[in-house]
Amino acid sequence: MFDLFSDIFTYRDNALTRIDPRVKLLIALAALVAVVSAERPILPFGFFVLCLGTVAALGVPAKLVALRLAAPFSTVAVLVVIHTFVTGTTPLFTLTLGGWTLTAKAEGFRQGLFLGNRVLGALSIVLLLGIATPAHRIFQALRGFRISKEWVEVAILMYRYIFVLLDRVGDLAAAQRLRLGYRAPRRGLASFSALAGATIVHSFEQARRTHDAMRLRGYRGTMPFGPFPALKRRERGILLLGLAGILAAYAILEWGVAG
Amino acid sequence: MRAVDVREVSFTYDDGTEALAGIHFRVEEGEFVAVLGSNGSGKTTLIQLLVGLLKTNAGRIEIGGREIGSLEAEELYQRVGLVFQNPNDQLFAATVEEDCAFGPRNLNLPEAEVQKRVTESLAAVAALPLRGRAIHHLSFGEQKRVSLAGVLAMRPAVLILDEPTAGLDPAGEAQMMQLLKKLNREEKMTVILATHSVDMLPLFANRIYVLDRGRVLQEGPSEEIFRHQEMIVRAKLRLPYVSRLMYEMKRHDGVPIDGLPLTIGEARAQLLELIPKEMILPGIEESGS
């Protein structure tokens, strides 16, 4: 679970981590728009391959990447299965499950793959952004783009306390395991419910204490943010280059400009 | 001038628990005062009253000569700062630098001044190399020091700490106490420490208040406090270990110890006086034995 939220790679020094987070955020946003609006599978797939290749080049372990992509892959699998059995007319094969006959269709299968491809393309962009930029820098960049202070403040606090609550939940779960709390399914369910309840109580308690601590340091309802220096020439160049690259890829692969 | 003056203060929680019952507590500017008490003695309630997190039911609290209720939050928190027992309660920003800058930015200081305060406060707790680090990557000891830096950046005249050494290893405990001593002796900061850890207090505290069930049992310098052993036991506390050893030697073995040494240095000096000179091997430390 800790690996899922680990951000140690964002603190490594490399060409991507050195780029201003505002530049990375804008390029990622443009790439997401391109992937979501793509009508052909090649562009989302291209981004998927490019982003995963970059993540691998940054030395991120495959296990961590697989862990982070496990949920999106599951979503894609469900998407493909539903589309395959629900959409289309051309039969591919037939399954009989518990008296029910299900027919897979070619159009649905293709549609499912295409949508899944988009999901993976978009999530690989977010994955790369998350591996090349510490969360707090992303939040700062969002403030720089005039995103609501309240929203960013809540995001910062949520991100910070994920780790604190994970620690506590880990300790509580270990204490339950050591007293055979998960020995049988029924007992496990009861332990899990108790764990969830305790976590909610902990988070309320934590919120109250943190609010006290913030008040004692002058908090009056708005978290202050540092200054936002203008983008340097090099950063502006990277931004233009990134946006131009995405536009060119879109023009070639979607509009067939080159052809 | 009196930094903190608490007169006849009582506090009862909504559930009827009487946490403080008419206590008097005063701290002069530049003093290092410890509030010693077992769990549930009222230490935390007292410090929450001193920073305005709780309001008294009866009595009067003055900070720097002004009644606490008459002070605006901005003014109050530049007079008095609280370091929480658990650093996770206090460190809410993503990075060390952001967390230390939180208070000064809330004071609407120019960014250059904010950065200066961040640098100085981190330097004061020997945490300058941690400046760019994420809070959740810090060790517990580092988190403790950074939470202290966050409060120091507000430049409070009075620094209050709730169990500052709780959860620290012996080296971390010694480092934290040395930091507080430095802030008190060199920066002339008034320090109030709530603790139930007795071993280091004789080395650092000018005066000690012993609290038990919301009442002050005793107040005075450590030599005077630890002389009243019945009172210490009644407050569910104990003597420093070195004092306990000397007390047992005196009581059970008849070793003629004068008074009750509170530190290793004092105990060593007394024992050396009792041991015949010819039994002491010269240069034993130098030979590394």
Side-chain angles (χ1 to χ4, degrees):
Chain A
M1 185 63 98
F2 285 90
D3 287 344
L4 197 58
F5 294 101
S6 170
D7 60 353
I8 52 165
F9 298 98
T10 64
Y11 289 92
R12 287 189 178 170
D13 183 40
N14 57 51
L16 274 184
T17 53
R18 280 194 292 269
I19 299 172
D20 188 290
R22 287 170 292 181
V23 171
K24 285 185 273 190
L25 205 57
L26 284 176
I27 293 175
L29 196 65
L32 283 172
V33 170
V35 164
V36 170
S37 64
E39 293 294 332
R40 296 177 190 179
I42 185 72
L43 189 73
F45 187 70
F47 271 111
F48 179 68
V49 171
L50 182 72
C51 291
L52 281 200
T54 312
V55 167
L58 291 175
V60 181
K63 193 182 155 196
L64 180 68
V65 177
L67 193 67
R68 289 193 179 180
L69 287 179
F73 266 121
S74 313
T75 311
V76 168
V78 172
L79 204 67
V80 172
V81 169
I82 290 174
H83 271 279
T84 303
F85 287 102
V86 172
T87 317
T89 51
T90 315
L92 272 177
F93 57 88
T94 303
L95 278 179
T96 307
L97 285 173
W100 289 77
T101 305
L102 299 168
T103 307
K105 290 129 188 160
E107 296 85 354
F109 182 64
R110 276 197 297 274
Q111 180 72 3
L113 277 184
F114 174 64
L115 289 176
N117 193 28
R118 264 188 188 172
V119 171
L120 289 180
L123 283 166
S124 62
I125 293 165
V126 177
L127 175 80
L128 179 58
L129 179 68
I131 275 168
T133 320
H136 74 276
R137 302 278 288 149
I138 295 178
F139 299 139
Q140 269 180 343
L142 290 174
R143 270 304 299 145
F145 293 138
R146 301 275 183 271
I147 300 291
S148 149
K149 275 183 181 177
E150 290 75 17
W151 190 92
V152 176
E153 186 175 320
V154 169
I156 288 173
L157 290 172
M158 277 171 64
Y159 181 74
R160 165 75 185 103
Y161 284 103
I162 279 173
F163 296 97
V164 175
L165 287 175
L166 271 179
D167 263 338
R168 288 202 184 146
V169 170
D171 289 346
L172 287 174
Q176 287 179 324
R177 263 198 307 278
L178 290 174
R179 286 179 288 159
L180 307 175
Y182 293 94
R183 200 177 186 188
R186 201 168 165 182
R187 201 174 290 174
L189 195 63
S191 297
F192 184 77
S193 311
L195 182 65
T199 306
I200 291 168
V201 172
H202 269 309
S203 55
F204 274 107
E205 280 290 305
Q206 184 67 68
R208 188 184 56 76
R209 288 194 299 265
T210 300
H211 183 244
D212 281 348
M214 290 169 83
R215 273 174 56 204
L216 294 183
R217 284 157 71 196
Y219 177 71
R220 281 164 293 185
T222 312
M223 201 180 254
F225 288 90
F228 301 100
L231 287 179
K232 290 175 194 154
R233 206 165 142 185
R234 178 180 163 271
E235 308 285 358
R236 289 200 300 269
I238 293 170
L239 177 61
L240 283 177
L241 205 65
L243 294 179
I246 291 167
L247 188 65
Y250 197 89
I252 293 166
L253 299 172
E254 286 293 311
W255 299 330
V257 171
Chain B
M1 191 179 173
R2 198 157 284 182
V4 173
D5 196 358
V6 173
R7 276 174 267 161
E8 280 287 329
V9 163
S10 300
F11 184 83
T12 303
Y13 285 98
D14 291 341
D15 64 0
T17 309
E18 188 186 44
L20 294 175
I23 72 156
H24 288 269
F25 176 79
R26 59 173 175 76
V27 179
E28 303 297 330
E29 265 183 13
E31 263 195 310
F32 193 128
V33 172
V35 181
L36 193 59
S38 59
N39 295 333
S41 61
K43 301 187 300 283
T44 302
T45 305
L46 175 63
I47 60 178
Q48 290 195 337
L49 286 166
L50 293 181
V51 294
L53 286 177
L54 295 175
K55 302 262 181 284
T56 57
N57 299 137
R60 185 180 171 86
I61 297 177
E62 285 181 9
I63 305 288
R66 294 266 308 273
E67 208 276 319
I68 194 166
S70 71
L71 291 165
E72 290 294 321
E74 197 170 295
E75 204 179 346
L76 175 62
Y77 300 134
Q78 288 180 85
R79 286 175 183 237
V80 61
L82 171 64
V83 181
F84 285 59
Q85 180 177 348
N86 182 354
N88 277 323
D89 294 343
Q90 196 179 318
L91 300 172
F92 38 79
T95 64
V96 170
E97 180 169 357
E98 286 295 312
D99 200 88
C100 288
F102 179 82
R105 283 191 183 132
N106 279 327
L107 295 172
N108 294 322
L109 297 172
E111 192 55 26
E113 175 64 15
V114 170
Q115 292 308 319
K116 185 170 168 257
R117 285 195 181 198
V118 170
T119 306
E120 285 175 1
S121 60
L122 285 172
V125 300
L128 213 42
L130 307 176
R131 189 175 187 140
R133 298 263 298 273
I135 298 285
H136 57 273
H137 289 172
L138 303 180
S139 70
F140 188 76
E142 288 170 339
Q143 286 189 352
K144 279 260 189 189
R145 281 187 284 138
V146 170
S147 61
L148 173 57
V151 174
L152 290 180
M154 294 290 282
R155 302 246 172 100
V158 180
L159 182 65
I160 304 177
L161 303 102
D162 191 5
E163 302 282 3
T165 56
L168 292 176
D169 56 28
E173 197 175 335
Q175 187 185 22
M176 175 60 80
M177 292 306 290
Q178 287 297 343
L179 276 174
L180 296 178
K181 184 179 175 183
K182 191 175 151 215
L183 288 169
N184 176 248
R185 308 283 148 90
E186 292 174 20
E187 312 291 328
K188 308 292 175 212
M189 191 172 269
T190 307
V191 177
I192 301 173
L193 195 75
T195 185
H196 58 246
S197 165
V198 294
D199 289 298
M200 288 208 181
L201 288 186
L203 283 171
F204 300 99
N206 301 122
R207 280 189 306 125
I208 296 174
Y209 277 83
V210 180
L211 248 62
D212 181 44
R213 283 170 287 181
R215 288 167 177 81
V216 175
L217 286 188
Q218 188 85 34
E219 172 254 319
S222 40
E223 309 86 64
E224 199 181 314
I225 293 292
F226 291 115
R227 198 184 298 148
H228 298 90
Q229 288 173 57
E230 278 179 20
M231 180 273 296
I232 291 288
V233 172
R234 190 146 44 97
K236 298 183 231 38
L237 297 167
R238 62 166 174 81
L239 290 173
Y241 282 124
V242 67
S243 313
R244 179 81 192 166
L245 171 68
M246 300 299 271
Y247 175 72
E248 295 295 328
M249 286 171 76
K250 188 174 172 179
R251 190 172 154 203
H252 297 295
D253 308 316
V255 179
I257 292 162
D258 191 23
L260 194 61
L262 297 173
T263 63
I264 289 175
E266 287 172 16
R268 181 171 177 250
Q270 285 225 13
L271 287 174
L272 281 173
E273 276 179 24
L274 296 171
I275 299 170
K277 292 277 181 290
E278 58 273 19
M279 284 187 71
I280 299 172
L281 298 174
I284 195 160
E285 280 183 17
E286 287 78 4
S287 68
S289 305

